[in-house]
Amino acid sequence: MDESTEQLEVWCAGEDWCPVTSTATLIGKKWHTVVLHRLLANGPLGFNALKTEVGGISSKVLSDVLDDLEGKRLIDREIVNEKPVRVEYSLTAHGESLEPVIQEMAEWGREHLTAAADVESSIA
């Protein structure tokens, strides 16, 4: 069975809400969707380039997020044999299949959320 057809594990099999909660468990942490979004937008990136693209994330948190996403089989980590040796992160087929979900999240946010500057000006 190739990776694109292999099923990911769920923790609540049998309930009608299980697919929603299982997906949220995979991508529901704050930085997970941002990293996936940046890899969808830019393709494979090295650690420092990804840190720049994400912005506002510490190296430790990014490293933890990448480890978690790799463990969940949403991203791949490849050692690139250059001098100096570097690591590049890319989406797996499962990660790429989240594109419509991430796009819909972005669209919903644009439609329903107020920009931070708008919130601050309405408070003042």
Side-chain angles (χ1 to χ4, degrees):
M1 180 181 290
D2 74 30
E3 177 198 327
S4 63
T5 59
E6 183 181 339
Q7 299 292 301
L8 297 175
E9 290 184 36
V10 298
W11 59 269
C12 57
E15 302 291 341
D16 65 344
W17 47 262
C18 183
V20 173
T21 54
S22 294
T23 303
T25 299
L26 287 171
I27 65 169
K29 294 181 181 173
K30 174 183 177 180
W31 294 110
H32 285 59
T33 50
V34 177
V35 168
L36 293 170
H37 181 264
R38 300 322 303 148
L39 289 173
L40 283 164
N42 297 291
L45 293 169
F47 185 89
N48 290 332
L50 188 53
K51 187 172 186 284
T52 299
E53 284 295 324
V54 170
I57 189 170
S58 71
S59 294
K60 166 78 169 107
V61 171
L62 179 57
S63 180
D64 290 347
V65 167
L66 292 169
D67 286 346
D68 194 37
L69 291 173
E70 183 180 12
K72 292 174 176 177
R73 299 187 318 220
L74 298 176
I75 65 167
D76 278 327
R77 178 181 183 268
E78 179 184 355
I79 297 174
V80 179
N81 248 347
E82 294 177 353
K83 298 219 184 216
V85 173
R86 64 184 182 86
V87 176
E88 189 171 78
Y89 297 91
S90 61
L91 295 169
T92 63
H94 285 299
E96 288 175 354
S97 71
L98 286 166
E99 184 171 17
V101 175
I102 303 293
Q103 286 178 343
E104 283 299 316
M105 289 173 70
E107 186 58 37
W108 188 92
R110 281 190 287 274
E111 186 176 328
H112 296 284
L113 300 176
T114 302
D118 293 342
V119 171
E120 290 175 12
S121 64
S122 68
I123 294 172

